[in-house]
Structure formats: structure tokens, C-alpha cells
Amino acid sequence: MNLPHFRNEPLSDFKGNPEHARKMKEALRDVAQELGLQYDLVIGGERVSTAEKITSFNPARKSQAVGHFSKATPELADRAIQAAEDAFRCWKREPVEKRVKLLLETARIIREKKFYYAAWICYEVGKTWPEADADVAEAIDFVEFYAREMVRLSKPHPLIPVPGEKNYLQYIPLGVGVVIPPWNFPLAITAGMTTASIVTGNTVVLKPSSDSPTVAYKFFEALEEAGMPPGVVNFLPGLGSAVGDYLVAHPRTRFVAFTGSKDVGLRINELASKRAPGQIWVKRTVLEMGGKDSIVIDSETDLDLAVEGVVTSAFGFQGQKCSACSRAIVVDAVYDAFLSKLKERVAKIRVGAPDDPESDMGPVINSKAKKTILEYIETGKKEGRVIVGGGEVSGSGHYLEPTVIADVAPKARVAQEEIFGPVLSVIKAANFEDALEIANNTEYGLTGAVYTKNRRKLEKAAEEFHVGNLYFNRKCTGALVGGHPFGGFNMSGTDSKAGGFDYLLLFTQGKTIAEKISF
Ligand code: NAP
């Protein structure tokens, strides 16, 4: 199977291309007509309705329901695992071409309606136009990339020849997987983990985040439209704390692909490691977790460039990215100059409704998140000096000001714990070496960046800055599929490198076959 080379999906240009802006407005109008509908679970291709519901709300208009979802119970989770197991028997034997074609067709469907998907993302999680568009582009990239990767994986793999034998290695699927995505990349991460699982021949139960089930359902519909056989993906919204635990602990679950917080990731790791009665394998877990990401600003740098990189990384999507910069570590010699430029730049950020193209920052995801972030800001007021923001923004949604806390000590709580909101701590370092030491002083290790023109310092950072995704003289968010395989160290997860050449192997097991041919 020969496919054209992979290329990243181009981003829309809402400011420069009036056609893109017109299509986005139209999609927002269309999707507005579909808000608040009821959705069922889908088990083995069959729609299943329950009396109890989960409702997702628009974070920009607190009382506006985006979708009402049937809510899984342990009994329904059992049925979903059974349906996935039944489908696995056929799906694992399907020719690779068929599985690859399913992905390519899914990518085509999403691409064709990319503004429609972006509009759903805008309403359900509060992404601004460019952020929602980037989420859709990344979803398309994952699906296209994993399709090509499966073609590569299905080709013969080199082995050292053994005299008198014919030997070969095949990568075969694992079995039934449970896919648990977060809400913050509701399309991209859902699509990435799900398609990596199924293109390798597994079948899955997809338990979406309770904050973004509609976007996940829209993705599921694209799979169905693309011709996915019933039961290959089973759509099972339900509370993580109830049905999530149940699915992870289930004896027929072979692997769990999770992206989310450290605490939930660790819980899944622990639950999955316990053998359930009747379980005959060691469960595999692919866990991508939180971050406390730093940008180091050296004295030998263009401060305007550094400020722009920090602001984009810290406040893009309201700081709700695992890769978001939440610590700027600035060398003493340029600390005051950096702070004054930063303050001026952050003050220009416009907070407002994400469906308004003039907004730079929308709301945070829900009232619980807003409360937690405000508590961190209060802690930050004691641990440092708030120089911009520090409070709520009035309006119909969960809006917060972009907040900068200066003079934070390296081990302060706001410098150590993931806040997952628009809060940036600025830490002073004595020199570049000290800055690198501070950058490594958390339990996480996801992304980081360094701004310096000094080559020797970049080389030192390449060796010593211990993160899975390190960037030089650019922002620390915006990893591109193929170009920046993504995943973190330490408490940031199992370093799966999503969007990279090693990723699909995590969803397979290698089978070596050797036949004696000369006696
Ligand atoms: P979360 O609270 O950990 O939830 C993630 C998913 O886990 C949701 O689907 C959730 O379902 C489910 N869940 C909750 N408790 C569970 C349990 N006991 N068993 C099984 N599943 C359970 O995280 P989030 O708030 O959605 O996402 C934000 C976090 O994700 C941040 O920490 C961020 O850094 C991290 N993240 C990491 C990456 C990465 O690549 N490293 C990428 C994106 C986000 P419910 O919604 O029903 O609770």
C-alpha cells in the first residue's frame, strides 16, 4: 500500500483569509442549532439509553447544555467489554489495508467538516477559534500519521538470519483496550489514542471525559460514517471515578490508554497492576499525565521574542494544556526588564467569549477548576507578588484574568504544583546554570524551553534539562505530529511519544516465528 508522504494539516488563517472566517462563523451558527441534544451509549453498534444522564455545559455560558449523555453503569461496561471482545475476533484478522483505509476515510471526513468540529470544540471546552482549529488539525494529523505507521509496521522487520531457519517477526494486536482521554484536547487526543489502538488491530471501549463527551461522540460518528464495523469502538460515557475504575480493573481489559492528571494516571497504574480473578495477562498502561513546564530566559536573548513565547505558552487555551508554561525562570541580569515587558504584554490579552474571534482567552473548563485556580492565586499572593491579573472576569462563563505572580521561590507551591489555568509564576535565577537547576526541580518532566543566543548554553540545556519535549528559542506548546513526538518523563507519564515512530508499538506485541528449513 503506497500512501503519499505525511504532511501536517495546514492551520486556518482566520485573520488573513476571509473565507476561513466566514466558514467558522457559519459552523458556529449551525452547531448552535444542535446544542443540548440527547445522546446514547453505543455498544456493539447498538444505541443504549439510560435514565441517568451526564450533561456537558458550555464553559462560556454556564447554563447552556451542549449535550446530554446516557451514563454507563458497571453492567453496561461489562457489555461494552464483551462487545469489544466479540469484535476483536474478526477485526484482528482484517487485512491491514482495511484498517488503514478506515483511518484515512475518517481523516477525510473530519477534514471536510473541520470548521464544524472546531465549532463543537469552541462550545464544549471554550477554545478560541485558532485553538479549536489547531485541535482539529492535530486530530487529522494523528489519524493520517498512524495510518502510515501501520503500513510501515506491517512490512517485514529485519532480523539476524539464523542458519538453517526461516525467521520473522510480526507485530500483533493486544486485545481489548480502554481509552480514557481528557477534555483539553477533546478531539485530537481522543482521535489519537483511539485510532492508534484500532489500526493495530485492537478493539476498544472509549470512555470520554465527562466535560467533553459531545466532541468525542462527533469523532465516534466519523468512525461510523467511515465504515467502522460495530464493536470495534464502543462509546461509553460515564463518571471516571465509577465506570472508569471498573473498566480499568476488568479482567478482560488488556491495555489502558490514558491521558489526564497525575493523580488519576497513578490510580490507573495501580489498579491495572493488580491481577483480577480470571485475568491471564499483565495489563499494559500507556499513561500521559500532567506537567509543570518551565521556560528559561537567559541574559543573552531577545527579550521581546522570549516574552511572546512565554505569553503564548502560558495563556494559550487559558493555560489548560499539559505543555503550558507555568514557570518563567529568568536570569537575574534581565529579570526586571523581562518583568516589565511581560506585564505590558499580558495586559493586552483580551478575555472573552471563545466564539468571538476578537477574544484571545476564553473561560476555564468548569466551576470546580475556576475555584481551584482562584485558590492557587490566593496562595500565590502569599508566595509572591501578583503583577498582572489575580481575579475573576465577570460574565456568563468561568472567566479568569491572565495572572502573573513574580518573585516566586523555586520550591513554592505555585512553582511546584500543576495549576492548569492562566497562572504564570516568575522565578529569579542567579545565572543560567542556576536556572537549569530550578527547571529540573519538580516531580514532572513534560515540556520546557530555553531562550538564549549562546550555543554553548543550548548544548548544556540539551544535556541537562530533563523533559520529554525541549524547545529552543520558541514556545513550549504546539507539538506537531511527526515532527515533535510527544510525551514526558517522571510524573508526567510513561513517555509514550504520541505522534512519533515508536507509538504504535505500544499497542502491539511482537511475535517471533522461526521455522527449521534444513535438517
Ligand atoms: P483527569 O481528571 O485526570 O481526567 C482524565 C480522564 O480520566 C477523564 O476521562 C476522566 O473521566 C477519567 N477518570 C477520572 N477518574 C478516573 C478513574 N478513577 N479511573 C479511570 N478514569 C478516570 O484529567 P483532565 O482534567 O480531564 O485533564 C487535564 C489533565 O490532563 C492535566 O493534568 C493535564 O496536564 C493532563 N494532560 C496531559 C497530556 C499529556 O500528553 N501528557 C495531554 C493533555 C492533558 P471524568 O471526566 O468522567 O472524570
Side-chain angles (χ1 to χ4, degrees):
M1 200 177 189
N2 273 331
L3 298 177
H5 284 305
F6 171 79
R7 281 185 177 199
N8 293 109
E9 183 68 17
L11 296 175
S12 304
D13 177 8
F14 295 116
K15 293 230 155 73
N17 187 331
E19 189 59 4
H20 290 175
R22 184 188 67 72
K23 285 185 174 161
M24 185 66 193
K25 272 190 203 141
E26 206 173 275
L28 284 163
R29 265 199 310 272
D30 291 348
V31 170
Q33 304 305 310
E34 292 182 49
L35 296 177
L37 299 181
Q38 307 259 353
Y39 301 88
D40 294 332
L41 315 173
V42 190
I43 300 176
E46 195 189 314
R47 263 63 187 167
V48 179
S49 178
T50 63
E52 263 199 77
K53 304 285 179 200
I54 292 176
T55 298
S56 82
F57 290 96
N58 180 349
R61 293 181 200 95
K62 289 181 258 190
S63 55
Q64 183 176 57
V66 175
H68 303 280
F69 283 79
S70 282
K71 187 173 169 189
T73 57
E75 294 70 40
L76 290 167
D78 266 334
R79 263 175 70 184
I81 296 262
Q82 187 59 53
E85 204 166 53
D86 292 345
F88 181 60
R89 280 185 213 107
C90 292
W91 185 243
K92 69 177 174 187
R93 293 185 205 283
E94 292 290 1
V96 164
E97 287 75 22
K98 181 165 173 182
R99 305 199 304 245
V100 167
K101 276 187 186 150
L102 173 70
L103 265 63
L104 296 175
E105 182 56 13
T106 305
R108 189 196 64 72
I109 290 166
I110 299 175
R111 186 182 291 114
E112 198 175 84
K113 296 195 281 186
K114 68 197 297 187
F115 298 102
Y116 174 79
Y117 286 95
W120 275 109
I121 293 170
C122 197
Y123 284 125
E124 193 159 51
V125 302
K127 287 199 179 188
T128 56
W129 291 22
E131 294 286 350
D133 179 65
D135 197 327
V136 180
E138 191 178 4
I140 296 169
D141 282 353
F142 276 134
V143 182
E144 291 274 357
F145 187 79
Y146 295 147
R148 284 161 178 76
E149 276 297 284
M150 190 59 222
V151 174
R152 185 176 69 85
L153 206 62
S154 63
K155 292 194 171 137
H157 299 276
L159 293 178
I160 304 294
V162 176
E165 280 186 11
K166 189 175 87 179
N167 54 351
Y168 59 103
L169 172 70
Q170 286 175 329
Y171 287 101
I172 65 168
L174 294 166
V176 173
V178 175
V179 173
I180 308 179
W183 50 266
N184 73 329
F185 280 83
L187 188 62
I189 294 180
T190 306
M193 293 198 297
T194 307
T195 56
S197 300
I198 64 173
V199 79
T200 37
N202 306 289
T203 55
V204 302
V205 176
L206 166 60
K207 193 221 82 64
S209 160
S210 301
D211 284 304
S212 58
T214 324
V215 175
Y217 183 78
K218 293 287 152 194
F219 166 68
F220 177 82
E221 276 186 332
L223 286 172
E224 280 190 319
E225 191 184 332
M228 177 184 70
V232 169
V233 176
N234 300 278
F235 180 72
L236 203 82
L239 292 187
S241 48
V243 79
D245 271 4
Y246 189 81
L247 288 166
V248 170
H250 200 286
R252 305 305 299 160
T253 295
R254 177 66 182 83
F255 70 96
V256 182
F258 165 83
T259 306
S261 62
K262 176 193 74 178
D263 289 346
V264 174
L266 289 178
R267 177 174 176 77
I268 289 175
N269 196 41
E270 195 179 331
L271 267 184
S273 71
K274 292 202 178 99
R275 182 179 183 177
Q279 181 185 323
I280 59 161
W281 42 63
V282 179
K283 284 179 192 167
R284 190 172 298 175
T285 52
V286 179
L287 307 171
E288 289 308 307
M289 293 144 56
K292 188 72 190 173
D293 310 305
S294 305
I295 297 187
V296 167
I297 293 103
D298 179 42
S299 51
E300 300 177 77
T301 193
D302 175 337
L303 280 186
D304 292 315
L305 214 68
V307 164
E308 207 48 47
V310 167
V311 168
T312 310
S313 309
F315 301 113
F317 189 33
Q318 300 78 267
Q320 301 172 117
K321 297 182 189 177
C322 55
S323 55
C325 169
S326 54
R327 318 192 317 159
I329 304 169
V330 188
V331 166
D332 190 4
V334 289
Y335 186 80
D336 291 337
F338 176 83
L339 271 191
S340 89
K341 281 177 186 286
L342 179 71
K343 186 174 171 182
E344 201 180 303
R345 176 65 185 81
V346 175
K348 290 188 186 142
I349 294 175
R350 290 159 301 190
V351 180
D355 52 357
D356 175 351
E358 297 307 316
S359 302
D360 301 312
M361 239 181 73
V364 297
I365 188 70
N366 55 33
S367 56
K368 186 167 164 247
K370 183 175 174 183
K371 183 168 170 284
T372 308
I373 297 164
L374 281 169
E375 281 165 12
Y376 270 114
I377 292 174
E378 285 313 304
T379 305
K381 285 177 184 167
K382 293 179 206 119
E383 291 184 326
R385 175 168 59 97
V386 172
I387 59 163
V388 200
E392 306 183 38
V393 175
S394 60
S396 56
H398 308 292
Y399 293 105
L400 288 172
E401 290 178 311
T403 296
V404 179
I405 308 166
D407 307 344
V408 172
K411 282 288 183 181
R413 271 188 68 205
V414 291
Q416 292 290 317
E417 295 172 20
E418 186 181 47
I419 299 174
F420 220 57
V423 182
L424 172 73
S425 297
V426 189
I427 302 168
K428 190 191 282 185
N431 50 43
F432 187 72
E433 285 68 26
D434 186 35
L436 279 187
E437 244 174 70
I438 297 170
N440 283 334
N441 79 356
T442 76
E443 61 181 348
Y444 295 103
L446 190 47
T447 76
V450 175
Y451 278 87
T452 182
K453 291 178 183 160
N454 184 318
R455 175 70 23 207
R456 190 189 55 77
K457 289 176 179 169
L458 290 180
E459 282 162 10
K460 189 174 169 61
E463 202 170 312
E464 292 181 12
F465 199 156
H466 193 61
V467 289
N469 286 72
L470 181 60
Y471 302 98
F472 291 157
N473 295 315
R474 55 151 284 182
K475 62 183 181 165
C476 65
T477 52
L480 280 176
V481 170
H484 309 128
F486 192 79
F489 302 157
N490 297 347
M491 281 296 161
S492 292
T494 52
D495 186 35
S496 66
K497 290 294 178 273
F501 294 112
D502 304 320
Y503 191 66
L504 287 195
L505 288 176
L506 300 170
F507 299 84
T508 66
Q509 48 199 343
K511 184 170 184 177
T512 306
I513 298 173
E515 180 186 349
K516 189 97 177 140
I517 50 170
S518 65
F519 296 89

